[in-house]
Amino acid sequence: MDRMNGKTALVTGSSRGIGRATAVKLANEGVLVAVHYAESRDAAEETVTLIEKNGGRAFAVQARLGTPGDVGELFLGVERGLRDRTGSPTLDILVNNAAEVAPRGIAPEDVTPEQFDRSFAVNAKAPFFLVQRALPLLPEGGRIVNISSGMTRLAVPRQMLYAMTKGALEQLTLHFARHLAPRGITVNTVAPGNTDNGNPVFRIPEVAEQLAQMSAFKRVAKTEDVANVVAFLASDEAAWITGAYIDATGGTLLG
């Protein structure tokens, strides 16, 4: 469609899952995408290959979020990659997708200080400083999309820690939306529900069926379902939406 032709984006955690689907979707819209990964360069390169097979443009950048120097390391690679390909470090779109998550959760009684600190470092601290670092590169009309979770609207004790970090991310959306509005930069939250991101749990029929029943549509989301919402918020058509919490749970929160 090329409706965002010439734009640039950084999608954190885009070597797999929702991040990969988002990177592919944006690239299909004409965006040059920096594909961030923490550990698996092979997985990131698979994302880049998928994009290039469809005629898009992308490059991989590595940084382990939640560690000292993470943001500086990531943006060193992002700016170098953008300059090499466009002659400018301008970043039009930032998608904070990377997250630390325990798929089956952790009972509140079992959470350690180390787990607590690590989760907040990746899911809340890193996005804050990524936005801060991106501010000089974001032009008028830039886009920031934060990937939260429908879990912040449900009481699931084993997911308490994860939900707390995503609640913090939603506050980042709210306050940066007000702060950046004078520059025409929008900041929004997308909250997925049960999404088949390749986790083995979705290959267990009885578990997958149980998760599907939570959605009003009685199915588990595909990563593309969420990526389509992110791409809309990153487009010019969404210029009048900021500070919003977009429920992308497939009606899970309807009750």
Side-chain angles (χ1 to χ4, degrees), residues 2 7 32-33 52 58 77 87 90 100 114 121 141 167 186 219 233 253:
D2 292 339
K7 301 285 188 180
L32 167 62
V33 182
E52 292 178 341
T90 298
E100 183 87 358
E114 293 75 18
T186 67
R219 71 172 177 87
L233 291 173
L253 302 181

Side-chain angles (χ1 to χ4, degrees), residues 52 70 75 103 106 128 136 144 151 179 204 206 236-237 242 244:
E52 292 178 341
D70 54 353
F75 269 87
I106 307 171
F128 177 90
I144 300 171
M151 203 66 69
H179 185 61
I204 305 172
E206 58 271 23
D236 290 341
E237 288 93 332
T242 196

Side-chain angles (χ1 to χ4, degrees), residues 98-235:
E100 183 87 358
V101 56
R104 295 184 181 274
I106 307 171
E109 297 87 347
D110 297 331
V111 174
T112 66
E114 293 75 18
Q115 289 169 326
F116 188 96
D117 290 345
R118 173 66 183 164
S119 291
F120 269 91
V122 176
N123 299 0
K125 181 180 178 180
F128 177 90
F129 286 101
L130 284 167
V131 172
Q132 183 190 75
R133 180 62 181 79
L135 292 182
L137 309 180
L138 285 163
E140 180 85 12
R143 300 283 184 265
I144 300 171
V145 182
N146 298 314
I147 308 301
S148 181
S149 169
M151 203 66 69
T152 63
R153 300 298 195 270
L154 297 170
V156 183
R158 291 187 66 86
Q159 293 290 351
M160 183 188 299
L161 176 57
Y162 178 68
M164 287 172 66
T165 66
K166 290 301 188 178
L169 185 65
E170 290 170 16
Q171 288 299 306
L172 184 153
T173 290
L174 189 67
H175 296 283
F176 264 123
R178 173 68 73 183
H179 185 61
L180 298 177
R183 292 176 54 187
I185 297 172
T186 67
V187 190
N188 292 290
T189 291
V190 173
N194 294 317
T195 306
D196 187 350
N197 58 6
N199 190 289
V201 71
F202 292 102
R203 308 284 84 80
I204 305 172
E206 58 271 23
V207 175
E209 178 59 24
Q210 183 180 16
L211 295 174
Q213 291 305 309
M214 296 176 68
S215 164
F217 300 117
K218 305 304 179 188
R219 71 172 177 87
V220 169
K222 298 177 290 186
T223 54
E224 291 80 7
D225 293 324
V226 181
N228 289 339
V229 178
V230 178
F232 167 69
L233 291 173
S235 72

